Amino acid sequence: GCDIPFDIQLFDMRLLFLITALVSSSRSTIRDADGISCLKNHIITSLRLSQSIQDGVDLSRQLSEFKKSQLSDNDIQIIIEILKVLFNLTVNISAGNDELDVSLRDLCKLLGCMMFCRGRSDEQTTLLRIHTVNLLTNIPPQMFNELLIPLSSGNIGNCIEFNERDMSIIDSLLDHLRGKLEAISTLENITPILTLLTEMSRCVPTIRKYLKNVVLPPLRVVDIKNLPEDGVTLRNKIVKLMTSPSTEIKEVAADFLFVLCKENATRLVKYTGFGNAAGLLGSRGLLRGVGHGTRGSYSEDDDDSDDTSEYMEQKDKVNPITGRIETDSKKSLFEGMSEAEQELEAEKLVTMLENIGKSGVITPMAIGADGRPVPLLGDDGHIQPSTSHPHGQSNCDNGDPM
C-alpha cells in the first residue's frame, strides 16, 4: 500500500479535483506530465494488487486478481477521489495522440476490471461502480474493444463466451444496469450506464450483438401477449423508461434500444411498440416508419433472421401501436354508417381538433413530409391542407393527428 497517511492522500486528491474542475488549463498541463498514467498507478497501489497489473499481463489474468480483492472503506474513498480527478482530466478528450492513447487504453482496461472490485458493504461497492462507470463514459468509444477478453486456455469454461470473446466485463456493466433498474429511487444515476452501453454498442459490433442477445432476445409468443413495458425482463424495464417523466432518462433509454436495433425504425417498433417509440422516431424524422440512423458502426448481418417460429406465426396479430397481440376484435367506429354519416363524423372531428388547438391546452400535431411532428393547425386556427394530405406513404397512418 501507499506510505502516505490516508488523511493527506484524501486532502491531496480533493484539492487536485478542485483545481482540475475550476482551472481548465490545469487539465492539459497534468495530462502532458503523464498525469493519467500516474493516477492510474496510484489506483493500482490503492487496490493492493501486484504491480504486474501494470506490465501488460493479459486481461483474463488481471480479472481473476480483481475478483479476489476486497477493499477497505478508506481504500474505496481514495480510489473514488482519484476517479473524480481522472473524470475532469478526460472530459471531452479524443483519441489521436499516441502516448495519450496508450494511457487511455490502459485506463480503460483497469476500469473494466474494477467493476469486479468489492467493498465491505454493498453500498461501498455500488458507489465505486458508479464512479467507475462515470469515468468510462469519458473514454473515446473506439477504445472499448479493449474490454473484450480473448479466450485462452486459462479462462475457457470460467467465462461468458460470445463470438470467441469473454464478455465478463460487459456483463458486469449489465449487472450494474440491472441493479439501477431494481432501485427505483436511484433512477437519476441510471443515465451514465445507459449512455455508456449505448456508445459501446454504437462503436463495437461484438458488444452490440451481445447486448442485443441479452436485452432484446428473439421474441416469443409470451413476450407479445403483454405490453412491451409490462414485465420483469431487461427489455420490459428499459421500454418502461421510454415514457419516463424525466426527458433525459427517456431519451437515453430510447437511444440505447435504437442502437441495439442498428438504428432501424421498423425493428425498434417491433420490440417496443410504436407508442413507446414515437418520441425518439419523431426527433429523428422517422415517424413515417421508413429509414434508419447512420451514426453507428454496424455489421451487415440481419438481426431479424433469428426470429422464432412461434413469433412469426403470430406476427400479423400484433398491434404495432401497442406492441402486443390484441385479443379483443374491436368493431370499426364507421361500421354500419353511410358515406354521408362518415363525412359528418369526420367534420365533427375536425371541429373538435380546431377547438382544442384554439384553447391552447394542447397543440394537435401531424406527421410532416420530413417524418417529424408538425402543427396540425395553421395561424388561422384551421387544419392546414399540407398536413391533412401529406405526401408519400407511411406505415403509421399517414397524416393522422397525434
Side-chain angles (χ1 to χ4, degrees):
C2 183
D3 294 332
I4 303 173
F6 167 75
D7 290 343
I8 295 177
Q9 288 188 66
L10 192 62
F11 176 81
D12 287 349
M13 289 304 159
R14 285 180 172 171
L15 181 61
L16 192 55
F17 169 74
L18 289 174
I19 292 171
T20 53
L22 301 174
V23 185
S24 57
S25 60
S26 67
R27 299 169 198 163
S28 59
T29 302
I30 294 172
R31 288 197 299 265
D32 292 343
D34 203 24
I36 291 179
S37 289
C38 181
L39 289 167
K40 181 205 72 172
N41 291 336
H42 193 39
I43 290 177
I44 291 171
T45 301
S46 300
L47 289 170
R48 305 178 191 280
L49 300 170
S50 67
Q51 289 302 108
S52 65
I53 294 298
Q54 301 179 65
D55 301 329
V57 175
D58 72 81
L59 202 54
S60 61
R61 284 175 57 192
Q62 292 186 27
L63 208 56
S64 63
E65 202 163 345
F66 278 86
K67 288 178 179 178
K68 292 183 286 187
S69 68
Q70 185 176 47
L71 305 173
S72 68
D73 290 352
N74 284 355
D75 291 334
I76 287 182
Q77 200 169 353
I78 292 294
I79 291 170
I80 286 174
E81 294 301 324
I82 298 173
L83 293 175
K84 287 162 63 178
V85 175
L86 283 167
F87 184 90
N88 290 343
L89 294 179
T90 54
V91 166
N92 297 326
I93 203 166
S94 57
N97 179 308
D98 291 344
E99 189 173 337
L100 181 59
D101 286 358
V102 171
S103 297
L104 290 173
R105 289 184 183 280
D106 288 343
L107 178 61
C108 184
K109 290 179 185 177
L110 175 63
L111 294 173
C113 291
M114 283 175 59
M115 291 301 295
F116 294 93
C117 289
R118 291 175 291 108
R120 291 178 178 171
S121 68
D122 289 342
E123 183 180 356
Q124 287 293 307
T125 300
T126 300
L127 197 58
L128 178 61
R129 288 177 180 171
I130 287 172
H131 286 280
T132 300
V133 167
N134 288 346
L135 180 51
L136 272 169
T137 61
N138 280 357
I139 299 294
Q142 58 266 44
M143 297 183 179
F144 289 140
N145 57 10
E146 298 292 338
L147 302 178
L148 303 178
I149 308 169
L151 291 180
S152 65
S153 57
N155 64 354
I156 289 179
N158 189 31
C159 67
I160 300 172
E161 185 179 346
F162 182 81
N163 279 12
E164 300 182 353
R165 291 288 187 271
D166 178 2
M167 308 298 288
S168 294
I169 291 176
I170 309 304
D171 198 65
S172 71
L173 293 168
L174 261 183
D175 277 341
H176 182 67
L177 173 61
R178 288 187 185 98
K180 289 296 170 191
L181 289 169
E182 291 294 333
I184 302 299
S185 60
T186 59
L187 273 182
E188 68 273 9
N189 291 324
I190 204 169
T191 305
I193 181 62
L194 282 172
T195 301
L196 175 62
L197 293 174
T198 301
E199 290 308 310
M200 286 181 165
S201 301
R202 186 174 272 130
C203 294
V204 186
T206 301
I207 294 178
R208 188 201 68 81
K209 289 179 183 178
Y210 176 74
L211 293 176
K212 164 88 167 43
N213 279 4
V214 177
V215 178
L216 299 176
L219 293 173
R220 301 161 300 160
V221 170
V222 68
D223 299 317
I224 53 178
K225 281 185 176 179
N226 300 311
L227 293 171
E229 63 269 31
D230 290 344
V232 297
T233 67
L234 272 173
R235 166 180 165 256
N236 300 143
K237 292 177 180 179
I238 297 172
V239 169
K240 190 171 184 178
L241 293 182
M242 294 172 73
T243 53
S244 166
S246 166
T247 301
E248 184 180 24
I249 290 176
K250 70 181 179 184
E251 285 181 353
V252 74
D255 197 33
F256 176 49
L257 295 181
F258 192 45
V259 169
L260 292 189
C261 294
K262 295 186 182 178
E263 302 186 41
N264 180 291
T266 304
R267 194 172 294 131
L268 178 69
V269 168
K270 180 178 85 172
Y271 284 102
T272 68
F274 182 79
N276 291 314
L280 177 134
L281 298 180
S283 67
R284 305 286 177 91
L286 299 171
L287 277 174
R288 290 183 171 277
V290 295
H292 53 81
T294 56
R295 296 167 58 191
S297 172
Y298 305 122
S299 57
E300 295 297 326
D301 57 309
D302 183 8
D303 279 3
D304 291 326
S305 61
D306 59 355
D307 282 338
T308 61
S309 57
E310 56 180 306
Y311 168 75
M312 294 303 293
E313 290 172 4
Q314 302 293 324
K315 180 180 177 181
D316 293 338
K317 299 178 183 177
V318 176
N319 183 328
I321 304 298
T322 62
R324 70 173 175 185
I325 295 173
E326 300 292 353
T327 53
D328 297 330
S329 55
K330 295 180 180 178
K331 190 172 71 170
S332 170
L333 295 175
F334 295 112
E335 190 176 326
M337 287 187 183
S338 66
E339 190 171 328
E341 289 173 325
Q342 291 181 28
E343 287 183 8
L344 181 62
E345 288 299 320
E347 288 173 5
K348 287 181 182 178
L349 176 61
V350 169
T351 303
M352 290 169 59
L353 287 170
E354 290 177 349
N355 290 337
I356 290 172
K358 290 173 184 176
S359 71
V361 176
I362 62 171
T363 302
M365 306 290 282
I367 302 173
D370 62 353
R372 289 183 166 84
V374 295
L376 185 65
L377 307 182
D379 294 336
D380 60 357
H382 297 295
I383 290 180
Q384 303 179 73
S386 60
T387 56
S388 59
H389 299 287
H391 298 292
Q393 296 300 313
S394 167
N395 294 337
C396 305
D397 295 330
N398 267 345
D400 279 358
M402 296 173 62

